[in-house]
Amino acid sequence: MTGQGWELVGAPNARDLGGLVGADGRRVRVGQLIRTPALGRLTDEDLPVLAKLGPACVVDLRATTEITVAPEDRFAGEPRVVRLPVHDPEHPVFTYVSAVLLGHDLDAYAELARQGTAGAMAAIYRWFVTGESARVGFAEAVRLAARPENLPLLYHCSAGKDRTGWLTVILLTALGVDEAAIRADYLRNNELTDSLRAVIVEAMRRRNPELDVDAVLPVLEVRTEYLDAGYAEVRRVHGSFDVYLRDGLGLTDADLTALRAQLLE
């Protein structure tokens, strides 16, 4: 992981958002905002690295149904764990991602594949903007990040790319980071998880030689079109990201001022 001086073998797309340039040319403080996938696959060697990062608070964006079937998160120390489920039980993408990551049978998701998993992923990003549990969960995560007792703050979902990715968009936008830098961080997921993706696809292909890889890859990757769908929904519903932060998420000027005070150098 170039530039940050650490990596987690069991969470290859984990990264520190520190160093990005935010409002008034001030940089995001290093070691305070850490995005990861679920921590259940951390290795024994990862735990001392996590201990050094020292998260005071861990935000888990998964639903209980996802948590119960996944390996238990591994921690170093005893961080406060806050569960803010951003989950739409009506949308099979969430279950599909978990099934892919856990190696479960995918026959039940044939309809999703017919619909087109790339299209379904874009639909989820639109839901991130308007869905009730998304609005509540993302807003509370921002408020947690604005309080010093919760820093460093580590946050994750299952794969650490979609819900975690959109929360990162929200946090960095609120901190004044420009959209090009936000997009670059978002798209880094693919290079960081390239070898992991290959392992997952190969394992799935061994179980099912008829596997339609084109139906699986969209849930293992991040794509510009997904992020575009989220941004477009913000503009459609709220007109601007600033209005989305305030009206969509209910964040106050005090919330946003506190966030910047804690996280910008």
Side-chain angles (χ1 to χ4, degrees), residues 67-224:
I67 294 170
T68 54
V69 298
E72 186 175 351
D73 274 2
R74 304 188 72 187
F75 298 114
E78 297 182 355
R80 175 190 180 199
V81 177
V82 180
R83 289 181 174 159
L84 300 174
V86 174
H87 184 82
D88 179 8
E90 299 302 312
H91 206 298
V93 157
F94 289 107
T95 315
Y96 189 91
V97 172
S98 294
V100 169
L101 291 173
L102 297 170
H104 292 173
D105 179 49
L106 298 178
D107 290 346
Y109 307 103
E111 179 56 38
L112 180 62
R114 280 194 291 272
Q115 175 189 345
T117 42
M121 291 297 293
I124 281 294
Y125 278 70
R126 291 190 287 272
W127 177 85
F128 287 160
V129 177
T130 56
E132 181 64 21
S133 73
R135 291 166 57 229
V136 170
F138 290 143
E140 183 56 26
V142 173
R143 293 188 189 101
L144 289 170
R147 296 207 288 270
E149 64 269 24
N150 295 321
L151 299 176
L153 183 102
L154 182 153
Y155 58 97
H156 71 80
C157 51
S158 288
K161 65 186 183 69
D162 300 310
R163 285 167 288 186
T164 297
W166 188 251
L167 177 54
T168 301
V169 171
I170 291 168
L171 287 165
L172 294 181
T173 303
L175 291 169
V177 176
D178 71 61
E179 187 179 316
I182 292 171
R183 285 178 176 273
D185 172 77
Y186 172 79
L187 291 170
R188 280 190 70 204
N189 176 83
N190 291 344
E191 65 178 87
L192 293 172
T193 59
D194 186 55
S195 58
L196 174 62
R197 235 178 3 262
V199 168
I200 290 173
V201 169
E202 182 54 35
M204 293 174 72
R205 194 181 270 123
R206 280 200 300 272
R207 288 197 306 276
N208 177 12
E210 305 302 312
L211 178 73
D212 181 357
V213 174
D214 289 338
V216 172
L217 281 179
V219 303
L220 296 176
E221 299 172 343
V222 296
R223 296 184 177 182
T224 299

